[in-house]
Amino acid sequence: LQGISVVVGLVSLLCYLYVIYTMFNNAESVIGIVCLVGACVLGLGVIVAFIYGWIKAWEWEIVPVMGFWSGCMAVQIILAILRVLISG
């Protein structure tokens, strides 16, 4: 379970970094910086990047990346629930 969680976490991180890269590529530097700095502050930058990424997904043509990222988030939630259930 832990190995799957690590792999899914790495894929999620790569998706996050790609969305940040796309922000800078599309002259959205301010929101990109906010997301990078916000990731260090309670992880809020990741949430902002996720929401903003979906808002701009079709315009920036990153729908597949956002789909992968959403899938990774869903798998991480399921794995967390399984860990709780297994630990009793």
Side-chain angles (χ1 to χ4, degrees):
L1 225 65
Q2 187 174 355
I4 295 170
S5 185
V6 169
V7 171
V8 171
L10 287 173
V11 172
S12 186
L13 176 65
L14 291 174
C15 290
Y16 166 72
L17 292 174
Y18 185 78
V19 170
I20 297 295
Y21 167 77
T22 306
M23 287 176 181
F24 283 101
N25 230 16
N26 287 289
E28 298 281 352
S29 299
V30 174
I31 192 77
I33 292 170
V34 166
C35 290
L36 284 173
V37 172
C40 299
V41 181
L42 301 174
L44 295 176
V46 177
I47 297 167
V48 171
F50 184 77
I51 294 169
Y52 198 73
W54 267 118
I55 290 171
K56 295 288 191 171
W58 285 272
E59 181 182 331
W60 292 346
E61 299 176 359
I62 58 169
V63 175
V65 173
M66 293 307 298
F68 275 123
W69 196 7
S70 297
C72 287
M73 302 273 270
V75 169
Q76 287 173 332
I77 291 169
I78 292 168
L79 289 174
I81 291 169
L82 284 175
R83 266 189 238 109
V84 169
L85 292 174
I86 289 172
S87 68

